Amino acid sequence: MRIQGEVMKTIIFHEHTIQYNPSNRYVALFLKTFIDKIERALDYNLDDELVEFYVGLAASTNTSGPAHGMCFKTYALDKEQYTRVVLKEEQAMISQGTTGLITWEAGLRLADFFAEHPDIIRGKRVLELGAGCGLAGFVCAAMGATCVVSTDYSDAVLKLLESNRQTNPEISGKLQIAKLDWDDLEECSNLSKPIDVIIGADITYDPTIVPILVAAIKEMVVSSQQVVYITATIRNIETFDLFLQLVDETGVLGRSVMDLTQTMMTALCHPNPSADMRLVLITLK
């Protein structure tokens, strides 16, 4: 009973949860899982406050249909939860004509990678392509990057990025939000001149955009000190292979590929066994 009361006090009714409220769907599913575990114990007793709160929430929350609407998500970067990134995100996969208002698994895995290996970006200047909600870039800022330029093309995404920047005052001074069209090679070059590390998650899925992306990367990577990190969920192997082929055909870019599918990443998330995941590193030859 004491533990149940602590869960209600330190999680459900914690001031952080109240200020940055997760979706009712998430809270309801969390409590359902918690109650199920209690009921599997011998001689269990359920806290009345816990049951009353859960029953009321479950009655007004659809936990089986498609999720939609904005909510906050808090990403803890250490076990003690001293370092956090808080983002407002859409629950639906597609909203306002874009997929950029939700964090996809490749974004989680890229953020997780930098949280696990902060030395890669500590003291570095980072440029994020197709930032979406901004998780990977914001994590880089929280883990010690000197500055992070989070870019996207969608106006709706850029508005959300700026809102999320303001939600994280501890790192907001390191963050810049900028619109970037990969077709504008001059702007790509200008943005990347002071940059050490270029990152991107789930930006290689569209075969019509891949040639434009590779041309932009070629324009941006002009120093042997610069490194590009891109995570990709393999939905269509032909599209991913096209990306690698076009990188090779530049003649000046070298690349290596890491298979993250079975890699245990624990800073932010657990790997989804069904997701075929790659991390591509690109540098000058």
Side-chain angles (χ1 to χ4, degrees):
M1 295 284 284
R2 181 184 63 82
I3 294 176
Q4 297 174 51
E6 285 297 308
V7 166
M8 296 301 290
K9 178 181 178 182
T10 63
I11 298 179
I12 304 302
F13 296 136
H14 190 276
E15 60 182 358
H16 179 87
T17 308
I18 294 173
Q19 182 177 4
Y20 302 112
N21 51 300
S23 68
N24 287 344
R25 176 192 180 101
Y26 178 86
V27 176
L29 291 173
F30 168 80
L31 289 177
K32 181 179 186 303
T33 301
F34 183 53
I35 291 171
D36 286 346
K37 288 185 177 181
I38 295 172
E39 290 178 335
R40 286 198 294 269
L42 295 176
D43 301 321
Y44 71 86
N45 288 296
L46 284 171
D47 181 90
D48 290 341
E49 182 187 28
L50 170 63
V51 173
E52 182 179 354
F53 182 81
Y54 170 68
V55 170
L57 186 62
S60 60
T61 304
N62 181 1
T63 58
S64 57
H68 59 86
M70 287 285 186
C71 67
F72 284 103
K73 293 185 180 181
T74 299
Y75 299 91
L77 309 185
D78 52 50
K79 291 181 180 179
E80 294 78 16
Q81 299 191 29
Y82 294 140
T83 307
R84 299 172 177 172
V85 168
V86 180
L87 301 179
K88 179 175 279 189
E89 302 184 16
E90 173 61 59
Q91 297 178 77
M93 292 184 178
I94 300 176
S95 178
Q96 300 182 51
T98 178
T99 59
L101 302 179
I102 186 174
T103 297
W104 295 81
E105 186 175 7
L108 288 169
R109 298 301 292 270
L110 186 61
D112 199 291
F113 178 79
F114 290 125
E116 295 254 350
H117 307 285
D119 289 346
I120 293 175
I121 44 84
R122 186 175 290 125
K124 302 295 179 64
R125 296 158 298 185
V126 178
L127 173 67
E128 182 172 17
L129 305 176
C133 299
L135 178 62
F138 284 36
V139 166
C140 287
M143 300 309 293
T146 302
C147 70
V148 176
V149 184
S150 297
T151 69
D152 210 289
Y153 184 71
S154 163
D155 290 337
V157 172
L158 291 167
K159 182 178 180 181
L160 181 61
L161 273 171
E162 177 56 30
S163 174
N164 283 337
R165 186 188 72 83
Q166 295 178 25
T167 300
N168 293 271
E170 298 84 359
I171 59 173
S172 60
K174 296 181 178 182
L175 297 168
Q176 301 174 41
I177 310 303
K179 186 167 188 172
L180 180 61
D181 182 348
W182 298 342
D183 258 332
D184 188 341
L185 297 182
E186 181 178 357
E187 183 61 18
C188 289
S189 176
N190 291 336
L191 269 180
S192 65
K193 280 179 181 176
I195 295 299
D196 304 301
V197 178
I198 300 169
I199 67 174
D202 235 346
I203 56 177
T204 62
Y205 64 90
D206 185 344
T208 65
I209 300 298
V210 165
I212 300 171
L213 170 62
V214 173
I217 292 173
K218 180 183 176 183
E219 191 69 28
M220 289 186 281
V221 179
V222 295
S223 165
S224 60
Q225 303 302 311
Q226 291 175 301
V227 184
V228 182
Y229 296 86
I230 294 176
T231 48
T233 299
I234 308 301
R235 301 179 181 86
N236 185 313
I237 190 62
E238 288 80 12
T239 301
F240 182 69
D241 286 343
L242 172 63
F243 172 67
L244 298 182
Q245 176 189 334
L246 292 176
V247 169
D248 293 340
E249 289 178 357
T250 64
V252 296
L253 298 176
R255 50 85 176 176
S256 59
V257 181
M258 297 172 57
D259 189 339
L260 299 182
T261 306
Q262 301 300 325
T263 302
M264 294 300 296
M265 291 196 160
T266 57
L268 293 175
C269 58
H270 297 286
N272 181 348
S274 66
D276 198 359
M277 188 72 59
R278 300 290 187 274
L279 172 63
V280 183
L281 278 64
I282 299 173
T283 59
L284 284 181
K285 285 186 175 179

